[in-house]
Amino acid sequence: MHTPAHHRSQPGDPPLAPCGHMWVFAYGSLIWRPGFAHAGRHRALLRGYHRSFCLWSHRYRGTPERPGLVLGLDRGGACHGVAFRVPGAHAAEVLRYLDERELPDGSEVVYHRRVVPVRLLDHSASVVPAVTYVVNRGCRNYVPRLPAERAAAVIAEGVGQMGANRDYLLNTLSHLLELGVRDARLERLAALLPGPARGAA
């Protein structure tokens, strides 16, 4: 089956793979806090996008007075992450949960839901269509090409409803390392943080 580079998926229409399951590609907090039941978890590779701290956070990891930064999938490069396999019977429920988490009503639309081809990095090396959330470059919170020193300073000070911004960075980094994934951008930001270089959310 040919899988397009990416396409829009409509609410209430879970994009099922030929196997009858729905796949979800995680690149940030979904890796270590998915919040939904799944039948499988695989290290995976998405080409055409990279993981980046490119979104201001005024609620979850910061405040309007002192914003934090959160991750988005931005165009270009490649991204290693996790592909979760969700049974088809639960796909609609999981998709609603993900939309509520990533596309909350009444908030700035910072992500677009997309279906993208990801390669499972196991013995099968299969390419599957996976739901993921890419950055909305048109939103006011999008902040591309922020210098690493400035980003680290923001992350060091940000605290929001979900906790400290530095813990979000360090927890994502530690779980990527558990997967055997090295992310040079995140490692550089962690190295630039003042104080202890380790933490957990």
Side-chain angles (χ1 to χ4, degrees):
M1 174 182 174
H2 174 69
T3 304
H6 62 78
H7 63 82
R8 299 175 185 273
S9 57
Q10 299 302 317
D13 179 26
L16 301 182
C19 62
H21 299 285
M22 182 177 76
W23 293 88
V24 178
F25 180 73
Y27 57 89
S29 62
L30 277 177
I31 293 175
W32 41 272
R33 189 173 58 84
F36 58 87
H38 48 276
R41 182 176 185 271
H42 305 259
R43 180 176 163 185
L45 173 65
L46 169 62
R47 296 194 181 277
Y49 294 92
H50 65 280
R51 182 175 22 243
S52 175
F53 273 96
C54 60
L55 288 164
W56 293 118
S57 175
H58 299 110
R59 182 169 58 164
Y60 294 120
R61 296 292 174 171
T63 64
E65 297 75 24
R66 183 170 289 179
L69 286 168
V70 291
L71 290 165
L73 275 180
D74 209 351
R75 292 198 299 254
C79 180
H80 284 86
V82 169
F84 291 103
R85 180 167 52 88
V86 177
H90 303 296
E93 175 187 354
V94 169
L95 198 62
R96 283 194 298 271
Y97 162 77
L98 291 171
D99 280 353
E100 289 172 2
R101 174 169 168 167
E102 306 295 347
L103 310 172
D105 289 340
S107 299
E108 180 80 6
V109 178
V110 297
Y111 299 109
H112 292 306
R113 190 215 299 166
R114 295 288 183 264
V115 178
V116 296
V118 300
R119 182 172 296 278
L120 306 182
L121 300 179
D122 55 18
H123 64 279
S124 71
S126 301
V127 175
V128 297
V131 172
T132 198
Y133 293 81
V134 305
V135 65
N136 172 17
R137 286 187 158 203
C139 79
R140 294 172 295 175
N141 292 351
Y142 179 56
V143 53
R145 298 179 296 278
L146 198 65
E149 293 78 6
R150 170 65 176 148
V154 169
I155 291 169
E157 296 186 0
V159 180
Q161 291 180 358
M162 298 301 294
N165 206 170
R166 65 179 294 134
D167 291 344
Y168 171 76
L169 163 61
L170 295 173
N171 217 0
T172 302
L173 185 58
S174 67
H175 282 80
L176 287 173
L177 290 173
E178 287 178 7
L179 292 170
V181 174
R182 300 293 299 270
D183 188 308
R185 293 184 182 90
L186 267 59
E187 289 178 7
R188 185 180 181 201
L189 290 176
L192 289 169
L193 290 176
R198 299 189 65 83

